[in-house]
Amino acid sequence: MYKKLNILDEKNPHLRKISKDAKLPLSKEYKDLVNHAINELTYSQIEEYAEKYDLRPGMGLAFPQLGINERVIVIVYEYDEGKFENYVFVNPKITSYSDEMIATEAGEGCLSVNRDVEGHVKRYARVTVEGYDVNGNKIKVRAREELSVAFQHEIDHLNGILFYDRIDKNKPFFNENEIRLI
């Protein structure tokens, strides 16, 4: 029987704490948790498994969402139909970003936010993220578009920020003349 991850709800105070750096290399327990997260995020994006295991679709997860306030993020990006690329970053930092801003047209969602939240979140179109893999080796990725949004969203979790904190209350939506919608 598949055991789903226990993902905290937005009301949980763990999600508002600033996470501390994780110790490297990650412990076996944390590595197992990372693998569980990769499996669950992958299953959640494949309709048949999402239904079978009752999973909400998601492409990213940060350790604070599991009640662990340490700087670890997992992103499972479907770059082509049924083809996934996994990104696991320990102690990630955005080291550069584009001037261009984008927003996901449909808005963002979050596995910790079990409701629809209307509005666009301004994000950098491209980011460079540096950090470490689970064994403590230095890694770096240049992310664009959806993947860039995912990295920014997950790194926000490490800083106690939820995506809707970034929606402008006075102007929740942009049109394509104001920002590029993806």
Side-chain angles (χ1 to χ4, degrees):
M1 178 66 200
Y2 181 76
K3 186 174 179 332
K4 284 179 14 177
L5 289 168
N6 182 21
I7 298 171
L8 300 181
D9 181 76
E10 64 182 298
K11 294 173 193 76
N12 192 299
H14 270 290
L15 293 175
R16 294 304 189 167
K17 290 182 181 160
I18 294 178
S19 296
K20 63 185 196 310
D21 280 353
K23 260 198 220 114
L24 288 162
L26 291 186
S27 66
K28 182 188 178 329
E29 177 193 1
Y30 280 7
K31 286 179 181 178
D32 290 346
L33 197 53
V34 162
N35 288 330
H36 191 158
I38 289 169
N39 288 337
E40 189 154 313
L41 291 167
T42 305
Y43 288 161
S44 81
Q45 295 179 66
I46 302 170
E47 202 173 323
E48 162 193 351
Y49 290 109
E51 283 177 25
K52 181 177 178 180
Y53 300 124
D54 186 33
L55 302 171
R56 285 180 48 221
M59 69 184 279
L61 196 66
F63 267 28
Q65 292 176 275
L66 302 172
I68 301 166
N69 287 106
E70 294 190 34
R71 302 182 79 79
V72 179
I73 62 170
V74 178
I75 295 171
V76 176
Y77 177 59
E78 187 173 18
Y79 62 90
D80 207 0
E81 180 84 24
K83 292 183 180 158
F84 300 92
E85 181 94 36
N86 302 331
Y87 298 89
V88 178
F89 271 71
V90 181
N91 305 330
K93 286 185 175 55
I94 294 173
T95 55
S96 71
Y97 49 85
S98 61
D99 288 336
E100 184 189 10
M101 302 299 285
I102 58 174
T104 52
E105 193 161 6
E108 289 183 27
C110 178
L111 293 173
S112 290
V113 180
N114 297 302
R115 59 189 174 95
D116 284 336
V117 178
E118 300 275 309
H120 291 143
V121 181
K122 274 171 88 166
R123 302 281 190 188
Y124 300 111
R126 293 170 300 287
V127 293
T128 300
V129 180
E130 294 183 28
Y132 300 89
D133 68 13
V134 297
N135 297 314
N137 300 306
K138 219 165 173 13
I139 53 174
K140 176 178 175 175
V141 70
R142 181 94 173 123
R144 34 188 321 120
E145 309 287 319
E146 280 179 332
L147 188 56
S148 174
V149 168
F151 269 102
Q152 291 168 77
H153 178 111
E154 298 312 326
I155 289 171
D156 273 354
H157 275 301
L158 304 179
N159 297 315
I161 299 167
L162 294 173
F163 75 93
Y164 55 73
D165 298 339
R166 295 194 179 278
I167 297 172
D168 185 335
K169 306 289 177 260
N170 300 317
K171 186 172 177 25
F173 294 96
F174 298 97
N175 65 45
E176 55 277 351
N177 298 325
E178 299 167 311
I179 196 168
R180 187 158 62 87
L181 300 173
I182 62 168

